[in-house]
Amino acid sequence: MGVFDSGLGGLTVARALLNALPNERIVYLGDTARVPYGTRSAQTVVRYARGCSEILLERGVKGIVVACNTVSAVAIEILRAELDLPIIGVIEPGARAALAAVRALPALPEKLPKIGVLGTTGTIASGAYPRAVGQLSTRYEVVALPAPLLVPLTEEGWIEGEVPRLIVRRYLEPLIAAGASVVVLGCTHFPLLKNIIAEVAAELAGHPVPIVDSAEATAAVVAEWIADERLAPSLGEHTPAARLELLVTDLPASFSVVASRFLGADASHVTQVDLNAK
Ligand code: DGL
């Protein structure tokens, strides 16, 4: 399977895929030369997404997981129309997971809980989350707010301590004040800050707030597709070391440091690929 994101964030999805699909080989591409995507126009994101897909296609992947909410929000239909292989995004699985979380809350007779979403500026401006939730249920209101600074914070590996906590608080305050009862991490970089987000949301709300991460829900969709299409490699076809190939478009060394920390496994082999005119 091919998996791509603007940088490190999609590793949250790659990790869930490695757990859900023990025999599958994953080729992961982080477009570190052009991160962040979330502050760019839809047109630019489409162009970047085409380039990433091309690199993965050259490596012979059987499907592509768009491990990026921004690309899933603005470019996925274009990729699906242009490319002759299955393309799986993170927003629809994330919307399903959000509904499951909100439905699991204790029922309050006087009001329905709201679904809070934090994402990049591009994802929030696209309205993709309210749309995806609305296609599944019209009962719940979605409050979606941009939290763009969380992307460079995680790319820097700054995922603990006072600075991320203050920034997370600044973004969560209006979301909790608007009545969000669950918080959807609508950017694949944000699960790297999940502990801080959960702690600050609970402080602000005065009780624990469910935090929804689309990585596992996305991995479950991929696993179902592979099973339905009987595409699973035979047992032991790939040795554990060969199961994850890491590609970046710039600075492989610094990617490797944060990736190893995050994956909890060796990520020292990172190959830099050439974007050319992609
Ligand atoms: N991790 C990506 C997302 O889910 C992109 C973040 C960015 O590059 O701004 O939206």
Side-chain angles (χ1 to χ4, degrees), residues 169-184:
R169 175 175 279 273
R170 173 69 187 72
Y171 286 136
L172 277 175
E173 256 163 7
L175 201 73
I176 300 294
S181 302
V182 303
V183 175
V184 179

Side-chain angles (χ1 to χ4, degrees), residues 5-10 34-40 67-71 90 119-121 123 148 151-152 155 185-190:
D5 179 40
S6 59
L8 280 163
R34 303 187 289 196
V35 65
Y37 281 10
T39 49
R40 317 216 184 254
C68 173
N69 288 262
T70 311
V71 175
V90 284
T120 65
T121 310
T123 298
V151 176
E155 285 290 322
L185 305 181
C187 170
T188 53
H189 280 72
F190 298 176

